[in-house]
């Protein structure tokens, strides 16, 4: 798997809420590692800590510890084990979304890509997923890409997972508001699902990047989605998008 060039990381949250321009340009991506196995946590911390532009700010051994740790250390990205004994990664992700106005990005780490827990975590608002045995460079790049937040992580993998969880024929769009999507917003949603960034979507649609950002915001609002991945998963889950009808990525988001 070849990932795209490293994206510029978002700045680490400043306690005052107003990071300087210099801080925004130079601050590493802060990461919280969550796994119930101590050896796994230690291994991930050791591997990620030596990657350029990344900083592991802390660890948690169960989903019950995630919210307090996030409030304490303000990580930009939570690397979240999906299966934990007391509170799993799905419920921990829901809790972050419910309790925080600006929750961190969440990448679910899993042993098996087709784990049904992963799909449920994405439906809960996780920003992406990656296998535990992925090469460290791939894992680090996934963290950077999710922190940047401008592309779908591994769009082909999300599409394959969606194909294993087809929407029931009668399910429809329910209360998602997808019926209110304009033609341009539908086009934007399909390009997001292909893994295109805002800049690439703007080029494809021949509009300004600011216009794309408006379309993306409208899509998220109408689908009641927390992020781009969540919007795409909701669209697959409700039948608004069909996995086989969405073409492959155009070099963004990282093929799987």
């Amino acid at each position: 798997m070849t990932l795209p060039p490293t994206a510029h990381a978002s700045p680490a949250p400043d306690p005052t809420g107003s990071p300087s321009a210099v801080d925004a340009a130079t601050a590493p991506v802060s990461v919280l590692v969550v796994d119930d196995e101590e050896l796994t946590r230690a291994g991930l911390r050791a591997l990620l800590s030596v990657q350029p532009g990344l900083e592991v700010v802390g660890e948690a051994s169960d989903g019950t510890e995630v919210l307090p740790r996030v409030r304490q250390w303000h990580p930009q990205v939570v690397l979240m084990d999906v299966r934990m004994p007391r509170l799993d990664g799905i419920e921990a992700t829901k809790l972050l979304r419910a309790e925080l106005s600006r929750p961190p990005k969440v990448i679910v780490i899993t042993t098996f890509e087709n784990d049904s827990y992963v799909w449920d975590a994405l439906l809960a608002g996780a920003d992406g997923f990656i296998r535990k045995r992925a090469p460290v460079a791939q894992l680090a790049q996934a963290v950077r890409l999710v922190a940047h937040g401008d592309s779908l992580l591994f769009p082909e993998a999300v599409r394959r997972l969606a194909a294993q969880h087809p929407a029931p024929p009668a399910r429809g769009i329910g209360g998602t508001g997808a019926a209110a999507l304009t033609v341009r917003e539908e086009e934007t949603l399909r390009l997001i699902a292909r893994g295109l960034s805002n800049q690439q979507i703007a080029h494809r649609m021949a509009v300004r990047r600011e216009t794309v950002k408006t379309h993306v915001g409208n899509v998220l609002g109408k689908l009641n989605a927390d992020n781009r991945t969540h919007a795409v998963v909701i669209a697959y889950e409700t039948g608004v998008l069909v996995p086989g009808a969405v073409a492959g990525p155009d070099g963004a988001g990282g093929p799987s």
Side-chain angles (χ1 to χ4, degrees):
M1 182 187 299
T2 302
L3 289 171
T6 302
H8 294 294
S10 301
D14 184 283
T16 66
S18 56
S20 68
V22 174
D23 289 340
T26 61
V29 176
S30 54
V31 183
L32 174 68
V33 175
V34 183
D35 197 289
D36 62 323
E37 296 183 359
E38 184 176 358
L39 285 176
T40 300
R41 293 198 310 275
L44 288 170
R45 181 167 199 150
L47 291 170
L48 291 175
S49 293
V50 297
Q51 296 299 306
L54 300 184
E55 178 187 12
V56 178
V57 295
E59 303 173 12
S61 61
D62 188 78
T64 57
E65 302 173 0
V66 173
L67 182 59
R69 298 289 191 271
V70 167
R71 284 175 166 159
Q72 179 181 2
W73 291 313
H74 307 287
Q76 288 172 261
V77 178
V78 176
L79 201 56
M80 182 94 74
D81 187 12
V82 71
R83 293 177 178 267
M84 292 178 284
R86 288 182 292 171
L87 190 72
D88 63 30
I90 301 167
E91 295 305 318
T93 298
K94 290 179 181 178
L95 191 60
L96 290 175
R97 296 291 182 264
E99 295 294 327
L100 301 177
S101 59
R102 298 183 63 184
K105 308 288 186 178
V106 174
I107 299 177
V108 169
I109 51 175
T110 180
T111 304
F112 303 104
E113 181 180 292
N114 61 355
D115 192 334
S116 61
Y117 274 64
V118 174
W119 185 248
D120 291 340
L122 295 179
L123 278 173
D127 297 84
F129 68 96
I130 193 166
R131 287 179 293 180
K132 288 187 177 181
R133 294 186 178 181
V136 63
Q138 184 183 107
L139 175 60
Q141 185 70 341
V143 171
R144 297 185 190 103
L145 185 64
V146 165
H148 182 57
D150 200 21
S151 298
L152 188 67
L153 181 63
F154 305 148
E156 291 183 1
V158 173
R159 190 159 54 252
R160 287 198 302 269
L161 199 57
Q164 297 165 9
H165 298 80
R171 184 157 189 166
I173 57 176
T176 64
L181 291 176
T182 66
V183 172
R184 281 302 218 182
E185 289 164 359
E186 286 185 14
E187 183 180 0
T188 300
L189 176 60
R190 293 183 185 280
L191 294 175
I192 290 173
R194 292 175 61 180
L196 273 66
S197 67
N198 284 358
Q199 186 60 50
Q200 290 170 317
I201 293 173
H203 178 74
R204 180 65 58 87
M205 296 174 63
V207 298
R208 298 179 60 184
R209 186 171 179 177
E210 290 74 16
T211 301
V212 173
K213 291 177 68 175
T214 298
H215 289 332
V216 171
N218 290 341
V219 168
L220 297 185
K222 291 178 181 181
L223 296 182
N224 298 319
D226 294 316
N227 52 61
R228 299 165 82 98
T229 304
H230 197 199
V232 170
V233 169
I234 289 172
Y236 282 136
E237 176 76 1
T238 56
V240 175
L241 292 179
V242 179
V246 177
D250 289 358
S256 56

